[in-house]
Amino acid sequence: MREMSIEGAWVREPRIFRDDRGSFHEWFRAPELHEAAGYGLGLAQANCSVSTRGTLRGVHFADVPPGQAKYVTCVRGAVLDVVVDLRTGSPTYRAWEAVRLDDREHRAVLLAEGLGHAFMALTDDATVVYLCSQGYAPAREHGVHPLDPGLGIGWPAGLTPVLSAKDAAAPSLAEAERTGLLPAYDACSRWYAGLRADAAGAADAPPRVPATRH
């Protein structure tokens, strides 16, 4: 796990075993995620999206608490995956970092609750799968326009972005901040601390003894 420039985001670069049959790699290892974040990814939902070249999804985020942590990889084709710090008051507020996810290097991105997420398909049939700590809850899900000059995300040149109607109607970062839509860094930090404390408490708890049948 390699920590990204934005607090709460990591890239996993797996070891890949290749031979004349194909390849094998471990794309998810719970202990590595726990070691990086200080708490585990509680799996509540797994999603799969297939996108034509140029499709741009995001920037999506959820209210904190509980937020929605994500673990993202691309199993077919390639995408430019982007993490955006939307947490007001964060030292890296407004910053973004991009990682190419593809079916060759098999990188994966872990992003904590409160961070924004977006990606652009670089190939046709780009297939992205991601694990989520919370299920989809429309009332808590929000977005910021991915082409907002206030964010200035460097999307690949030569590709015409294809957005959903919902993403195209998303507010700018300034509008989202003005209306109180964005998560606060302090609230996110308290949430992370609570998750770490829960994880530490669970690790210190005595092992559960199975009930004995008579």
Side-chain angles (χ1 to χ4, degrees), residues 147-214:
L147 302 178
D148 175 20
L151 284 176
I153 298 174
W155 298 112
L159 285 179
T160 301
V162 180
L163 278 66
S164 69
K166 182 177 179 180
D167 287 345
S172 67
L173 181 66
E175 291 169 337
E177 181 179 355
R178 186 170 57 250
T179 56
L181 199 63
L182 301 178
Y185 178 70
D186 287 347
C188 292
S189 296
R190 288 193 298 271
W191 183 251
Y192 307 151
L195 293 173
R196 293 186 183 110
D198 289 346
D204 293 338
R208 181 176 176 271
V209 179
T212 303
R213 291 188 178 183
H214 297 283

Side-chain angles (χ1 to χ4, degrees), residues 22-113:
S23 69
F24 173 87
H25 71 284
E26 298 171 338
W27 82 276
F28 175 85
R29 286 180 57 85
E32 292 182 3
L33 272 65
H34 189 285
E35 182 178 355
Y39 58 91
L41 179 72
L43 178 59
Q45 185 171 316
N47 299 331
C48 176
S49 70
V50 181
S51 304
T52 57
R53 187 170 183 265
T55 295
L56 177 52
R57 301 179 186 268
V59 177
H60 300 149
F61 65 98
D63 292 337
V64 179
Q68 189 185 62
K70 295 177 181 176
Y71 186 69
V72 187
T73 194
C74 180
V75 297
R76 181 180 183 184
V79 302
L80 186 71
D81 197 79
V82 177
V83 178
V84 186
D85 194 347
L86 301 177
R87 303 166 299 188
T88 58
S90 167
T92 53
Y93 176 58
R94 300 165 61 104
W96 58 271
E97 186 172 346
V99 179
R100 180 186 170 98
L101 303 181
D102 58 37
D103 57 11
R104 180 66 183 172
E105 300 300 327
H106 299 290
R107 295 183 185 92
V109 171
L110 171 66
L111 57 153
E113 297 85 346

